């Protein structure tokens, strides 16, 4: 706090800054860290329509990887973390042939998420996020190292697959550093 007091050139002392920090934290009800993509994956993973086994651990690991990939792409800054987590889990469920989860089970997962969590996003929005995650994955070193790469959707291998703000209808973050273009 001393450096902030010095920066104020005597306008505020350490006690003032400390008091204001307390007021801000109290106003925010101490909610300083929003849930991360991984937090949502941890929660939503329990809704997988398959019995816990090696396959669900593999799905979880791959979903975490897809979630981490989203951190490296500015087009995800304005997207809800819960939508990214859902897309990451769905991509992980496609997986390789040995752990492929059927479309029926993927639909059961989405139904459980909608009904039990109240999380609702359009299919178009989730598909756009999934496609962008597949594209980022296809550009990663992991993709090149995988002996049997995850099944990338053909439509997602284009660089022209940015996630658009209007697909999710959410507002941009007040601290967003990117501008999402709606022009093609």
């Amino acid at each position: 706090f001393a450096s902030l007091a010095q920066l104020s050139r005597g306008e505020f002392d350490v006690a003032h800054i400390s008091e204001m920090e307390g007021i801000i934290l109290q106003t925010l009800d101490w909610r300083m860290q929003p849930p991360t993509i991984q937090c949502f994956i941890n929660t939503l993973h329990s809704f997988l329509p398959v019995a816990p086994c090696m396959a669900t651990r593999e799905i979880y690991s791959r979903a975490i990887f897809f979630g981490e990939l989203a951190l490296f792409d500015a087009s995800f800054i304005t997207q809800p973390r819960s939508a990214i987590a859902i897309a990451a889990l769905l991509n992980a469920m496609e997986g390789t042939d040995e752990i492929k989860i059927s479309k029926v089970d993927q639909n059961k997962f989405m139904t459980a998420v909608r009904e039990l969590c109240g999380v609702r996003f359009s299919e178009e929005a989730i598909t756009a996020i999934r496609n962008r995650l597949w594209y980022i994955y296809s550009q990663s070193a992991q993709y090149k190292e995988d002996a049997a790469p995850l099944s990338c959707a053909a439509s997602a291998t284009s660089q022209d697959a940015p996630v658009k703000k209007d697909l999710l209808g959410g507002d941009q973050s007040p601290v967003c550093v990117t501008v999402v273009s709606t022009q093609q």
Side-chain angles (χ1 to χ4, degrees), residues 1 6 30 36 39 43 47 71 80 83-84 86 105 112 126 130 132-134 140 144-145 154 166-167 170:
F1 294 132
Q6 289 171 346
W30 289 85
T36 63
C39 289
T43 301
F47 295 114
L71 298 174
I84 297 169
I86 291 168
D105 283 341
I126 297 298
R130 289 184 70 189
R132 186 65 183 173
L133 287 172
W134 278 125
S140 72
K144 294 169 182 69
E145 289 178 15
D166 60 312
L167 290 175

Side-chain angles (χ1 to χ4, degrees), residues 2-17:
S3 61
L4 287 175
Q6 289 171 346
L7 287 172
S8 74
R9 297 183 184 166
E11 191 70 31
F12 304 103
D13 61 20
V14 173
H16 287 119
I17 294 170

Side-chain angles (χ1 to χ4, degrees), residues 148-165:
L150 297 175
S151 58
C152 264
S155 63
T157 57
S158 167
Q159 281 190 359
D160 298 329
V163 177
K164 295 181 180 70
K165 175 183 175 236

Side-chain angles (χ1 to χ4, degrees), residues 11-182:
E11 191 70 31
F12 304 103
D13 61 20
V14 173
H16 287 119
I17 294 170
S18 180
E19 179 184 353
M20 185 52 68
E21 180 185 43
I23 291 169
I24 291 169
L25 290 172
Q26 194 68 33
T27 302
L28 293 174
D29 201 24
W30 289 85
R31 286 178 276 180
M32 296 291 295
Q33 185 176 12
T36 63
I37 296 168
Q38 184 171 357
C39 289
F40 282 108
I41 290 171
N42 288 341
T43 301
L44 297 174
H45 181 259
S46 64
F47 295 114
L48 289 178
V50 292
C53 62
M54 188 63 135
T56 58
R57 284 191 290 266
E58 184 67 22
I59 290 168
Y60 176 81
S61 296
R62 289 181 182 194
I64 292 295
F65 178 70
F66 277 110
E68 290 171 354
L69 287 176
L71 298 174
F72 296 101
D73 189 0
S75 68
F76 289 110
I77 290 172
T78 59
Q79 303 308 315
R81 290 174 194 92
S82 56
I84 297 169
I86 291 168
L89 279 161
L90 289 170
N91 281 4
M93 280 188 240
E94 282 187 12
T96 58
D97 290 335
E98 60 268 8
I99 64 161
K100 188 170 180 131
I101 304 296
S102 72
K103 287 286 185 194
V104 170
D105 283 341
Q106 288 181 31
N107 288 335
K108 286 180 186 176
F109 167 75
M110 287 302 296
T111 300
V113 168
R114 276 193 287 280
E115 291 177 359
L116 300 173
C117 297
V119 177
R120 300 185 192 287
F121 298 107
S122 71
E123 187 175 330
E124 181 184 34
I126 297 298
T127 299
I129 294 170
R130 289 184 70 189
N131 288 345
R132 186 65 183 173
L133 287 172
W134 278 125
Y135 172 72
I136 296 166
Y137 169 71
S138 74
Q139 301 302 305
S140 72
Q142 184 66 41
Y143 177 80
K144 294 169 182 69
E145 289 178 15
D146 284 346
L150 297 175
S151 58
C152 264
S155 63
T157 57
S158 167
Q159 281 190 359
D160 298 329
V163 177
K164 295 181 180 70
K165 175 183 175 236
D166 60 312
L167 290 175
L168 299 178
D171 293 328
Q172 286 188 332
S173 164
V175 293
C176 182
V177 294
T178 65
V179 175
V180 180
S181 173
T182 58

